[in-house]
Amino acid sequence: MNIEIVTLLLTALNILIIPFLLWYLNSRTTKQIEELKIKNNLKIQTYKKLFDIFNSILAKDNSANWNPKNRIDLVTDLLKYAPDEIVNKFALFWNEAKKGDMEKVNLSALYEKILLLIREDLGHKNSKIDRKTVTELLLSK
């Protein structure tokens, strides 16, 4: 008789616990997926800011809104969302850029490297695109 009661209790517990456990795991996973989507969207927005600045400098477009506040916002976002390699490449760019006129800074090699690092960060880890391909795409008329 004791075995029947224990079996009945275990069955009842399984009927109650398993659905709750599945619900809990599903809600937790859903929350994590939503957080990753938000973080990825913020990362993409940060990279867009970075490329807006690089593109305006490379195209010698002086209409870009490149001011200290925008630079600080970009740096803050890079520190929050970008991997170290990208932050370090931006630091190299900034160290060159602050020495003088932004139009005199050669961004080509740095731009290509950052573009490839961003592609990798956004999921293209096994990409066959190299710096030569990027250069050809950027310089073609």
Side-chain angles (χ1 to χ4, degrees):
M1 178 130 170
N2 286 340
I3 293 177
E4 292 174 358
I5 293 173
V6 169
T7 304
L8 183 63
L9 286 173
L10 287 175
T11 303
L13 282 174
N14 283 336
I15 290 172
L16 295 172
I17 290 175
I18 290 176
F20 174 77
L21 187 60
L22 289 173
W23 168 83
Y24 174 75
L25 290 173
N26 183 43
S27 65
R28 186 171 176 181
T29 303
T30 302
K31 183 178 179 185
Q32 288 173 339
I33 289 170
E34 289 303 315
E35 288 171 355
L36 284 173
K37 283 181 184 178
I38 291 168
K39 183 178 179 183
N40 199 45
N41 188 35
L42 292 169
K43 184 183 288 195
I44 289 168
Q45 290 175 21
T46 299
Y47 292 155
K48 182 185 178 326
K49 286 183 211 174
L50 179 66
F51 283 116
D52 285 348
I53 289 168
F54 276 174
N55 292 342
S56 66
I57 293 169
L58 285 172
K60 309 271 191 250
D61 176 13
N62 294 328
S63 66
N65 199 8
W66 182 241
N67 59 48
K69 183 198 178 307
N70 289 347
R71 184 186 62 80
I72 291 169
D73 288 345
L74 174 61
V75 169
T76 303
D77 287 348
L78 284 171
L79 290 171
K80 288 190 288 189
Y81 305 117
D84 291 352
E85 266 189 292
I86 293 172
V87 175
N88 288 334
K89 292 296 178 197
F90 180 79
L92 285 174
F93 153 73
W94 185 248
N95 284 336
E96 284 301 310
K98 70 183 179 182
K99 289 179 184 176
D101 189 0
M102 295 283 266
E103 290 183 11
K104 294 180 182 174
V105 177
N106 181 2
L107 290 178
S108 297
L110 196 55
Y111 183 87
E112 294 160 8
K113 183 62 177 167
I114 287 178
L115 182 62
L116 292 172
L117 287 170
I118 287 173
R119 281 182 49 80
E120 184 179 319
D121 186 40
L122 293 177
H124 301 282
K125 296 197 185 305
N126 297 319
S127 177
K128 305 270 188 280
I129 295 174
D130 58 9
R131 289 177 70 172
K132 181 182 178 207
T133 305
V134 173
T135 301
E136 290 170 358
L137 289 170
L138 290 172
L139 296 178
S140 64
K141 293 182 182 185

